[in-house]
Amino acid sequence: LEENEYFQLVTKDDCTTETQPGGQQFKQYFNTEKMKCETCSQNTSFQDVSSDGYSCVCRPGYRYSKDFGGSNIECVVCESQKARSADGWRCVTCNSGTTFNNQTKTCVPCAANNVPVERTVNGALVTSGGSQARICQRCSANTSLNVEGNRCERCTMLLKLNPSVSSCSCDPNNLAGGVCFPTTIVPLTISTLPLSSGSVESAYVKEHVQAAYLMCKDFVNITACQILSNLCVLSWYRYDDSPGTTTTCNLYRLILADLQKDYIPWLYYSQEGNRVLDDDKLTTEYTFSPASLLEYRVGRYTLNGTYLGISPVTGGLLQLCSDTTSRLNAAYTFGTYYEQTCSIPAIELWDTKTYQMEFYDLYIEFTRFGEQQLYSAPVKINNLEVNRGDTDNRGTDSQKWTLSRRFFMVDNVVSTGTDTTGGAATSTLPQYVRYAKDIEISVTLDSTLGNGRIFPPLMTITYDQVSLANAQAGATITPTFKVKYSMSLVAYLKDFQIAVGTLSTLGVIFAGYKTWAWSKRAGRLAIDFAAIVNFIFFVSGVLSNVFFVITFGIAFYFFIFYKRQSVVYLFLLEGSYYEEWLGLFGSAFALKCLQVAHMVATQCTVDIFFIDWEKPKGTLGIKADGSKKENPVSIWRTYFAANEWNEIQTCRKINHIFQIFAVVFFLNYVGFENTATKDPNGQVVKSSGDYQAPSDPMFRYAIAALVYLLVAFVQWLFFTLFYERFFEDKVRDFVDLCSMANISVFIMHQAQYGYYIHGRSVYGKADTNMKEMFEMMKKEEKDLVGQRGLLPNTEQQTFVMTLPRKLRLKYEEVLLAVALESAAGPQAGKEKGGLTEKQVEAYNIINKFLSTFIDHSLKSLDYQIRDKTLLESIMDTEFLDASEKGYFYNDNGHSFDQCLFYGNEMTLLLFDTLLFCIVDLIAKNFVLAGIITYIIIEIVALIRDHGGRKNLAKKTLVDERFLI
Amino acid sequence: LEENEYFQLVTKDDCTTETQPGGQQFKQYFNTEKMKCETCSQNTSFQDVSSDGYSCVCRPGYRYSKDFGGSNIECVVCESQKARSADGWRCVTCNSGTTFNNQTKTCVPCAANNVPVERTVNGALVTSGGSQARICQRCSANTSLNVEGNRCERCTMLLKLNPSVSSCSCDPNNLAGGVCFPTTIVPLTISTLPLSSGSVESAYVKEHVQAAYLMCKDFVNITACQILSNLCVLSWYRYDDSPGTTTTCNLYRLILADLQKDYIPWLYYSQEGNRVLDDDKLTTEYTFSPASLLEYRVGRYTLNGTYLGISPVTGGLLQLCSDTTSRLNAAYTFGTYYEQTCSIPAIELWDTKTYQMEFYDLYIEFTRFGEQQLYSAPVKINNLEVNRGDTDNRGTDSQKWTLSRRFFMVDNVVSTGTDTTGGAATSTLPQYVRYAKDIEISVTLDSTLGNGRIFPPLMTITYDQVSLANAQAGATITPTFKVKYSMSLVAYLKDFQIAVGTLSTLGVIFAGYKTWAWSKRAGRLAIDFAAIVNFIFFVSGVLSNVFFVITFGIAFYFFIFYKRQSVVYLFLLEGSYYEEWLGLFGSAFALKCLQVAHMVATQCTVDIFFIDWEKPKGTLGIKADGSKKENPVSIWRTYFAANEWNEIQTCRKINHIFQIFAVVFFLNYVGFENTATKDPNGQVVKSSGDYQAPSDPMFRYAIAALVYLLVAFVQWLFFTLFYERFFEDKVRDFVDLCSMANISVFIMHQAQYGYYIHGRSVYGKADTNMKEMFEMMKKEEKDLVGQRGLLPNTEQQTFVMTLPRKLRLKYEEVLLAVALESAAGPQAGKEKGGLTEKQVEAYNIINKFLSTFIDHSLKSLDYQIRDKTLLESIMDTEFLDASEKGYFYNDNGHSFDQCLFYGNEMTLLLFDTLLFCIVDLIAKNFVLAGIITYIIIEIVALIRDHGGRKNLAKKTLVDERFLI
């Protein structure tokens, strides 16, 4: 053996040349083991190549004397005028009806209906003139030559129909499809099969439809009835309502009308579609746990009706797309919404081994009283037409549907095309393959009966075709296979409407109340434009929350109860129900955006002032007018406090960056998103080899919002119970700083409502050097000084306040002058962005005025400190009239965070959650949702930060350069 | 037709009961169309059920008068003593060698080698006594009864071997495997096939091995040679080296030694494995673009050697796991590292239609001088053993391998098990199925020739088996199919070693230089412990960068050049080469961690001091000793500056959060990670239906690091060129603030080296009220005051400084007292965490001392301001000796950010990149890498922040409460 060898790729067709060693011609055969042409052992007069090309054979007129395959054969020439016998090992003379042909070296064939004989039945040699011979004998009565041509046999097929004849020959007028009928045939003109547009000639139909019809009708031949039915199925059940023999299905229906029905297969449902699909005889209780299967069974038949047994449909029997078995079988796991599609080179469909043409009768297996039953399942052929062009089966009105029983997956045999017109067939392949392009199984839960029972599932098939020419040019087909589930959602709709109606009404009422509370705080008694605008924003906020609760509630309900159901009672929302839910979800987000915008706008326009309690220390000599020139009080403590306030404006109660990372971690990396598939499988870790059902937007929303809120809750717990106590509480630190800096913060959230942080130093001074600061702090640690509270001997430093109208008027009056000047636009005397003299003066006036007010030193304007009543706290309002006298209410220590992001965490969190979910809804990707959410949150914070800084600079007169 | 019907599921076996309408017994047959049992048309004496159960047949003694299938038949009783004829439609008497059996109503069978005759060859009826009859005739000489039993035919098979005999009977001693040999047989004892442990009896082997051996050896029968060869393949090529007829393969080898080799298939390579695999005759130029295919071809044979043609291996011919065609065929796209595995219920292997037992000869098709050639490709059977137990084929020494040619995928026919021992077969199924469990195709690039040529690819097969009992108990099998590529990496190794060696050496030298520069700045002249420690950290930093450059360079080179190559010249690193690369990558990260830790530690221990230039204003009366009591200078500006410094400590030049989100966005969402697959396909968007090659860690590293660095670069451009100019520059803002607060910052990064921010107010004072501040700012805007620089009329506010030793000593002396006190531990007189009197005093001393120094007011300690020379800038050192006199070097405006994260962006960025990549290397998930990177970065920043705050509080004596 030569190793590492290569050789030219040859096929048996390449072995036609003859070799000439030693001047003789030798034929070549194809050695199948060496993949090479090899020479026969004897020259061309002795040996030729076999018809398959894989071995040598003896030429006519030569008999074998050795035959071990390949070239290991030996031929011996027959005597003159003798031919090789049929078994190849002898030579015979040609006698009695045949003669020796000297050209071909064979006996000439026997005449028609004559049989060549070399041996009798018992193997005795026929001899003639002393030598072994081949003779011809005429077939006897009632016999004809068999297929092999070596014996006459009874022509049973003909005699069956024509028992009276003795000859096996048939009058051509009685012949149809190879069957000899006793009477003259009236020819039918059916020879085509339908395409999705137009039709194709079929040699098979032309040949068999007449015989099948007559055999079935007149002789009740079961095979013939099967063939006729299958031809009707192949013509997509199309029939004319007018009686007549114009279509195969008409023939079927004619027989059905005449005959007892037992002999002909059941093809059409005679009931209307809705009646068929309303049936409640399927008693299977479908459950998710343990997982039920949709137990489809098919009775399988070949084209001529040979029964191939009853099979389950698993293993891809009805799926043209190939895939792993487990993924294919996932289609029949009850409750798995299934979608499969792929692209297949169309030419593969012509492979009749892979795509066998079979006919299927569809059943569902179920158990009743302990016995296995078969339920006949309906099939809807979308290509079915009655009276050409009536396409009711494609419509949605189930009453007009014509349902049927039998179907095929691929017809790659009978659509042979137009080569029956007499021209030579250009190809032995069919000109068209017709196949089930789209299959959809639709399962509807019978909610009225409960117990996981279903109506008869409907399989809808749409056929299409592909032509040989296109396929050979590389066309591909994209068959689809879908399984979907539905249920009546009437009960759901009622609940949904009640929930939305009730909660929205309550929400609007609540928003009205909030507006009333607001207008009281804002000092507006009439319902003016501002009140209406505020009402709109309050409604936005409240309805957004309501819608969020409803949509999340629905999504979560469906998510949990769909996945956890044992006996099936729930499928997913679909169609308009789903769209309504989606609309509500979108509204929730849009309204939440409005609310956040309102919140940011409000916070960016809040009135805030830092009251400096510091008194001037010492003097700097005497002024020209004789008064003492006071040592100016340093503004740096105010700068410091303002700077810190600026920094905590966009602080959140939770770490929103970590929040996003954690959520994406759980959803994407840990794989919680895998639970959102439309199947009963709620596992987090799914094998990549298994079928992955499409994910449901509602489920994704449910799991995403749940994870978002849970992570936020855990963060909130961590920050509230742990971090802020033991590490850092920026809000508390700010109050501390105020105390140390001898600065109070006076915030008017609405015109006559606000928050007060009492930061008066327990020393009365803070503007001092490090040594004194150190001593002061030491004393406070040792409790040697008073407490920080506004009231003596209290710790309460923060208050909610309702302010008398007069105070507000005074405040506005002072600021108005400044505002007017600002409004006058850039002037020569005014620096861009800088402070004016007037503003500084206004600052001093307000500082004086407010500190006097806090000190109770204004007779006409006073306030009183009290606790809020429980009812006031619950209703978030104040009952006492503050028109003459203000009220300071003790609070929880950080009521002023209402002006910061910190105190509005709930609103922001819901905004983040909705944003995250809505991005995922659109992009179906939690990573992208996280990224977009991060960016939007940062932009909102940036706007708040920027607006807040401008506002702070404007209201407290601290230059922006110190707000870094 | 009853519609919506269901009925009991019955099979033909359920139709055994007889019905009794009208008192008569009727057999039932299974109606294949209705799936029901139906009654035959005549009672049990007339009709019985056919053997397939699907129709009725006439009982013996009854002839047919009608037969249209199903129950549509009619039987007529024959006259007494007559039997039904063979064609079924007549009755015959039994004569001449047969008699009528009244029990069975049939003629008794003819004697051995006798043929029953009812019609002669030409269909003439045999009559006897005037009635149609069935007679027996003895077969003539040289004939025996044919398989159908209706004719005597020449016993060619026997006569071929024994041409002299005239009888077709054979002496049992000459009989083997149904073949009659001319001589007496010496029986062989081979009857088993090997299993992965033990062996299994095979009826087929036992029956055929002897005949095949003799026929092949003595008569050169090609079919016999094929069978013998296939049996040798089925016994996994196992043979004993000792001559003898103990194994099938020994028989094969005996014949091979005797015979001319042309007649017996080539199974074994006689050359050693390494010689076979070294061959360079495959001249195909494999390219990625256009994509080459690995053009495997197989010659297909059945068990008995019938040639089935030559086929490509696409469509899963060699892959037991089913999948879509495109995914299956991806295995043969050149350059695609392929791995496929799945779990198959073992029982499916017994399906001989799906898993056909075929034998394959492996070839590679290639083109040479325009002609298609076949190259014989080697196969390595891992189960091959010579002399039982020698498993060299499993080893790695290719010289010891015995390579072979032919293989099979599944043997589900011949491993019939032990039912040949005489006991009744419990099952017709084979007891074992043996299958190719693991197939691995290994392609090696021939780097010496170039031009994309390869050595002969090696297919390695490991067989395993599964028993019928296990399969029926639900066992599954997990076959694997792999394709891998390799090349000689000698050239690469040289380059790798040179790069690592050279660059590392340079790196160590550079680190040594940095240590020298450091020790000068730290004022250490000897090589002490600190210098060594610093050297280690410098080496870490430099080597980390070197390793990063090398690993990234290699990864990027392989990534780009692998994906972009047209003619293939590159495959991936593997084995120890890959591990070395991985080690370098790990080292880069570990060293970078050291560097970052060092950086954080250095920054957290830097000496920093805020110099307050403010002079006391006015007095607060007279002290007891008569001196004026000075109005204390407010510390709040220092607090403010320290607070801001604290805030910018962990500021980064780029937004590191956005960085992570952007990187994850590009890698995960946009899909850059899809390019990192081990195949030629470098597309970002890949169809989910296509095969996804496993991703390569090196490629992932290349694309991840690239994206990380590019995004960072874009961010850096944005922040440097745009954001910091037009929006916010925190570092610049801090310098501004210092100027306005009249505070200078004095930072000693090393003992005698540091940075100085000159913040002396142009007014000489800042501790004033809003009005004055406002006026001062206005004046500055109008350029009415001097400039801010340290030198008059300059703007230069920031400096790098080298300090005289004396200054450092003084500084340490003052702080030492404080440090000693702190070290004394908690005492009664010292408050926890508070400042001591001594510390405040030290603060005042240092403030005074440093401000005097800056003012050039110390005679013995002075400094000079100058520019750094270009060389000094490049070499990052100072040439001038600062032991007596300090030097202040003008800088770029933010040299002090070396003490902040801001100035070390490159180090941090590389740290982030390496961290991101190493997490991905472990977890193979960019989302998780992003999350972990975020968390680690935050932790590092937290440590830096915390440590920096403590340090700031300690060094500047600003209470931590003000550093919020």
Side-chain angles (χ1 to χ4, degrees), chain B residues 306-341:
Chain B
T306 302
Y307 177 63
L308 299 173
I310 189 160
S311 306
V313 291
T314 47
L317 193 70
L318 306 184
Q319 287 145 298
L320 291 178
C321 293
S322 61
D323 208 335
T324 63
T325 313
S326 72
R327 278 202 285 261
L328 289 171
N329 291 353
Y332 304 107
T333 303
F334 194 80
T336 300
Y337 288 68
Y338 189 87
E339 281 177 28
Q340 189 200 28
T341 185

Side-chain angles (χ1 to χ4, degrees), chain A residues 279-312:
Chain A
D279 185 55
D280 61 358
K281 297 205 190 69
L282 260 179
T283 53
T284 306
E285 182 188 80
Y286 286 95
T287 59
F288 274 12
S289 163
S292 296
L293 299 177
L294 199 57
E295 297 278 5
Y296 264 129
R297 297 283 181 276
V298 285
R300 300 165 67 179
Y301 303 89
T302 62
L303 179 56
N304 68 7
T306 303
Y307 177 63
L308 300 173
I310 188 159
S311 306

Side-chain angles (χ1 to χ4, degrees), chain A residues 300-447:
Chain A
R300 300 165 67 179
Y301 303 89
T302 62
L303 179 56
N304 68 7
T306 303
Y307 177 63
L308 300 173
I310 188 159
S311 306
V313 292
T314 48
L317 193 70
L318 306 185
Q319 287 144 298
L320 291 179
C321 293
S322 61
D323 208 335
T324 63
T325 313
S326 72
R327 278 202 285 261
L328 290 171
N329 291 353
Y332 305 106
T333 303
F334 193 80
T336 300
Y337 288 68
Y338 188 88
E339 281 176 28
Q340 190 200 28
T341 186
C342 64
S343 184
I344 303 174
I347 196 70
E348 287 186 11
L349 291 181
W350 268 261
D351 178 357
T352 49
K353 269 193 190 169
T354 316
Y355 297 98
Q356 284 177 330
M357 180 168 163
E358 290 181 0
F359 291 84
Y360 302 116
D361 277 356
L362 196 63
Y363 299 96
I364 289 175
E365 187 180 313
F366 70 109
T367 308
R368 192 163 176 273
F369 302 135
E371 285 180 339
Q372 283 172 298
Q373 310 280 336
L374 285 186
Y375 184 91
S376 309
V379 175
K380 178 160 78 78
I381 309 291
N382 272 345
N383 307 67
L384 188 150
E385 289 176 13
V386 182
N387 296 328
R388 310 258 157 189
D390 170 352
T391 55
D392 279 340
N393 266 18
R394 290 176 189 249
T396 53
D397 183 359
S398 62
Q399 198 174 347
K400 291 190 176 168
W401 290 346
T402 305
L403 300 183
S404 46
R405 293 280 304 129
R406 188 172 283 197
F407 64 97
F408 65 96
M409 288 300 297
V410 173
D411 153 28
N412 50 13
V413 174
V414 300
S415 300
T416 40
T418 55
D419 54 356
T420 57
T421 53
T426 52
S427 160
T428 56
L429 294 173
Q431 292 299 301
Y432 283 93
V433 162
R434 304 180 309 143
Y435 63 98
K437 184 176 190 303
D438 301 310
I439 296 186
E440 181 176 298
I441 296 169
S442 163
V443 181
T444 308
L445 200 67
D446 187 347
S447 340

Side-chain angles (χ1 to χ4, degrees), chain B residues 50-151:
Chain B
S50 67
S51 58
D52 68 3
Y54 296 154
S55 62
C56 301
V57 292
C58 291
R59 292 185 74 88
Y62 291 80
R63 66 173 177 86
Y64 289 88
S65 65
K66 187 169 88 174
D67 181 8
F68 290 111
S71 61
N72 192 11
I73 70 168
E74 204 175 271
C75 305
V76 177
V77 68
C78 287
E79 297 96 329
S80 146
Q81 298 294 321
K82 281 197 176 180
R84 183 169 69 229
S85 69
D87 59 34
W89 294 76
R90 295 177 299 122
C91 297
V92 290
T93 56
C94 307
N95 289 94
S96 308
T98 177
T99 55
F100 185 72
N101 182 333
N102 215 11
Q103 229 74 44
T104 60
K105 305 282 187 196
T106 56
C107 300
V108 295
C110 294
N113 222 20
N114 277 28
V115 60
V117 187
E118 290 178 1
R119 288 178 189 269
T120 60
V121 175
N122 72 340
L125 296 171
V126 172
T127 54
S128 171
S131 67
Q132 299 173 11
R134 176 188 181 98
I135 58 171
C136 292
Q137 293 184 333
R138 182 166 183 78
C139 283
S140 310
N142 286 349
T143 66
S144 60
L145 205 59
N146 69 359
V147 179
E148 294 88 27
N150 60 5
R151 200 160 175 177

Side-chain angles (χ1 to χ4, degrees), chain A residues 19 46 53 66 70 134 153 230 247 324 479 497 514 541 575 586 612 675 708 727 756 766 856 914 918:
Chain A
T19 58
F46 284 78
K66 187 170 88 175
R134 178 187 180 99
E153 285 178 358
N230 288 343
T247 70
T324 63
Q497 286 170 339
K514 278 182 84 171
D612 192 346
T675 61
Y708 212 102
F727 289 96
Y756 176 64
H856 298 283
L914 282 164
I918 213 150

Side-chain angles (χ1 to χ4, degrees), chain B residues 344-364:
Chain B
I344 303 173
I347 197 70
E348 287 186 10
L349 291 181
W350 268 261
D351 178 357
T352 50
K353 269 194 189 167
T354 316
Y355 298 98
Q356 284 178 329
M357 179 167 162
E358 290 181 0
F359 291 83
Y360 302 117
D361 277 356
L362 195 65
Y363 298 97
I364 290 175

Side-chain angles (χ1 to χ4, degrees), chain A residues 799-868:
Chain A
F799 302 90
V800 170
M801 52 186 188
T802 53
L803 299 171
R805 186 159 185 76
K806 264 191 275 181
L807 184 133
R808 179 69 191 181
L809 289 176
K810 174 76 181 170
Y811 174 80
E812 281 173 359
E813 178 192 325
V814 175
L815 275 199
L816 198 61
V818 182
L820 276 177
E821 182 152 332
S822 295
Q827 297 166 352
K830 187 171 159 283
E831 298 311 305
K832 181 171 68 78
L835 293 171
T836 63
E837 297 277 350
K838 274 249 170 76
Q839 282 173 314
V840 174
E841 204 173 311
Y843 168 81
N844 286 332
I845 293 170
I846 293 177
N847 197 20
K848 182 92 183 165
F849 170 67
L850 288 181
S851 54
T852 323
F853 170 71
I854 298 294
D855 270 350
H856 298 283
S857 305
L858 294 171
K859 265 194 193 145
S860 56
L861 275 173
D862 202 2
Y863 67 91
Q864 192 185 334
I865 297 176
R866 55 194 306 278
D867 282 324
K868 263 199 179 180

Side-chain angles (χ1 to χ4, degrees), chain A residues 3 6-7 9 32 124 140 150-152 270 301 368 372 374 631 634-636 647 766-768 774 835, chain B residues 3 6-7 9 32 72 121 124 140 150-151 270 301 368 372 374 631 634-636 647 766-768 774 835:
Chain A
E3 297 182 357
Y6 60 90
F7 50 83
L9 169 62
T32 58
S140 311
N150 61 5
R151 202 160 174 178
C152 297
S270 59
Y301 303 89
R368 192 163 176 273
Q372 283 172 298
L374 285 186
N631 198 348
S634 170
I635 191 69
W636 284 89
E647 275 168 21
D767 197 18
T768 180
F774 160 59
L835 293 171
Chain B
E3 297 182 357
Y6 60 90
F7 49 85
L9 170 62
T32 59
N72 192 11
V121 175
S140 310
N150 60 5
R151 200 160 175 177
S270 59
Y301 303 89
R368 190 161 177 274
Q372 284 172 296
L374 286 186
N631 200 350
S634 170
I635 191 70
W636 284 89
E647 275 168 20
D767 196 18
T768 181
F774 159 59
L835 294 169

